[in-house]
Structure formats: structure tokens, C-alpha cells
Amino acid sequence: QVQLVESGGGLVKPGGSLRLSCEASGFAFRDYYMSWIRQAPGQGLEWVSYISSSSTFIYYADSVKGRFTISRDNANNSLYLQMNSLRADDTAVYYCARDQKYSGNDYWGQGTLVTVSS
Amino acid sequence: SYELTQPPSVSVSPGQTASITCSGDKLGNKFVCWYQKKPGQSPVLVIYQDTTRPSGIPERFSGFNSGNTATLTISGTQAMDEADYYCQAWDSSPYVFGTGTKLTVL
């Protein structure tokens, strides 16, 4: 069955960096677009970034552009999110999700919590 | 940037029909998805491409999209349907989520 397992979250100081990972299994990872989506405490869902199957197309939300970098390793069925210059408002649960474009995000990981605080 | 607006809350009695709206400029020209989000759980896709239910989603969930408004309808609402619901559309961003609606079944 399809599984997505995030890791790498934790407590980091403002201005710091963190790298999130998402390990995929149960499907042909190399054939699918993938997204990172987050939910801040008490807030709604916010799309963060998106990467095409071969990394040709990459998009970022304006709120993270220039600070976050999405990447993937199809040989190791892994998705990454490098987060730099972190701010308090980046505090959230970060989900990786399989992306079917117009057909939505059909599988989600369990999420990893990122807390940015001094 | 493109915005999707949902009512903050909707209440429904068990067994009745709940309707949750999602409004955006010319939304009917875009594909809309709907997600169910319960506390402590990951979101679940309940409708994609405006009207299609993924495998395993009960028939009581249905969707419609036209003009500037998309609607998620839950017929015969059950207590287990109490959750937050989010619409999502593809735009130039490329994705936008709605503001979210808390559905209360009472």
C-alpha cells in the first residue's frame, strides 16, 4: 500500500535551517509529482511547494520563495524540503503528499512538526 | 494572488444534508478538490475534479462547481463527518487552498 513517511522536524531558532525528508513506498515514486503542504497551529492548510516527477517543474508559495528548496531522489524514493532562514510563522506541521495535479493530493504522510522559536 | 473563500462554520443535524461552499473568481473554470481534516489526522481527499469521489469515499459526499462557487454536499450527514473541510483549486501558484470550514454535527 502507498506510504509516505516524513522526518526531520524539530525545534529550531529563528534564522536557522532544517531539512525535511519524505520516504515513499508502495507506488512508482518516479512517476508522480509530489507536494509539501503545511498547517500552522490553529490555522488552515497552506500549500508550500510542488515538484514534477523528473524535477523539471518546481513551484513555491510566495511565503517561502527564496528560503525553501524542494528536491527529490527518485533512485531512493525520497522527497526533501530544505528550509533556510526560518521564521516563527513557519511553525507548522509539514505534510508530504502525492500529487495528481488536477486530481488532487490523494495520499498524505502523517506529518512532521517544525517549531521555530528562540 | 488567487483566493478561495469558505464559510468559517456550518452546522447540521445528524441525517440531514450539509452544504459547504467555496468561492473564487471564475472558479467554475478550474478543477476543484475537497479535503476532510480531523484533529491529529492527515487530510483525506474526498472529491477531485469537481465531482469525482476517490475509491473508499462514501456516496453521501458529492461536489459541484459552476460560475464562481464550488459546493461540497454531504447527504445523510453522520457524526463521523464532523471535521474541517478545505477546497483546493489549481491556479498560477499553482495551488490554492480555501480558508476552511468547520462542520459541526449536532
Side-chain angles (χ1 to χ4, degrees):
Chain A
Q1 72 281 22
V2 174
Q3 274 200 304
L4 297 168
V5 180
E6 302 96 335
S7 60
L11 176 63
V12 62
K13 289 181 168 51
S17 298
L18 215 52
R19 189 193 197 206
L20 305 183
S21 300
C22 171
E23 185 172 334
S25 60
F27 67 102
F29 178 76
R30 67 178 63 248
D31 291 339
Y32 287 85
Y33 289 36
M34 297 293 295
S35 285
W36 287 99
I37 296 157
R38 68 184 180 183
Q39 185 174 34
Q43 303 299 309
L45 298 175
E46 181 188 15
W47 168 78
V48 173
S49 184
Y50 156 107
I51 186 168
S52 63
S53 54
S54 58
S55 305
T56 303
F57 302 107
I58 289 176
Y59 295 93
Y60 299 98
D62 288 343
S63 57
V64 306
K65 203 173 294 183
R67 300 186 300 122
F68 290 11
T69 302
I70 191 172
S71 62
R72 63 191 296 161
D73 180 350
N74 286 342
N76 289 301
N77 296 332
S78 294
L79 176 72
Y80 305 102
L81 187 66
Q82 177 67 44
M83 304 185 297
N84 298 331
S85 303
L86 283 161
R87 311 183 305 220
D89 62 1
D90 294 317
T91 294
V93 174
Y94 285 73
Y95 298 96
C96 71
R98 193 172 80 169
D99 198 313
Q100 300 273 35
K101 291 184 71 177
Y102 305 124
S103 297
N105 299 103
D106 59 349
Y107 287 94
W108 297 62
Q110 84 288 352
T112 186
L113 176 62
V114 172
T115 303
V116 184
S117 174
S118 54
Chain B
S1 62
Y2 194 75
E3 295 183 352
L4 294 174
T5 302
Q6 300 178 234
S9 62
V10 169
S11 296
V12 63
S13 299
Q16 298 305 301
T17 297
S19 294
I20 299 172
T21 58
C22 173
S23 299
D25 185 48
K26 298 183 177 68
L27 185 58
N29 293 339
K30 307 178 192 299
F31 278 126
V32 172
C33 301
W34 290 91
Y35 299 87
Q36 178 191 70
K37 176 70 168 69
K38 296 181 179 179
Q41 298 184 21
S42 301
V44 174
L45 178 67
V46 296
I47 293 288
Y48 65 91
Q49 289 191 7
D50 298 340
T51 62
T52 304
R53 277 179 293 104
S55 173
I57 299 302
E59 289 184 9
R60 63 180 181 274
F61 288 87
S62 64
F64 184 75
N65 183 23
S66 180
N68 294 321
T69 304
T71 304
L72 173 70
T73 301
I74 309 172
S75 305
T77 307
Q78 300 182 9
M80 68 172 63
D81 299 329
E82 186 164 287
D84 294 329
Y85 289 85
Y86 295 89
C87 58
Q88 178 197 46
W90 174 286
D91 186 64
S92 58
S93 304
Y95 288 126
V96 178
F97 281 100
T99 50
T101 298
K102 181 176 181 58
L103 177 67
T104 302
V105 182
L106 39 68

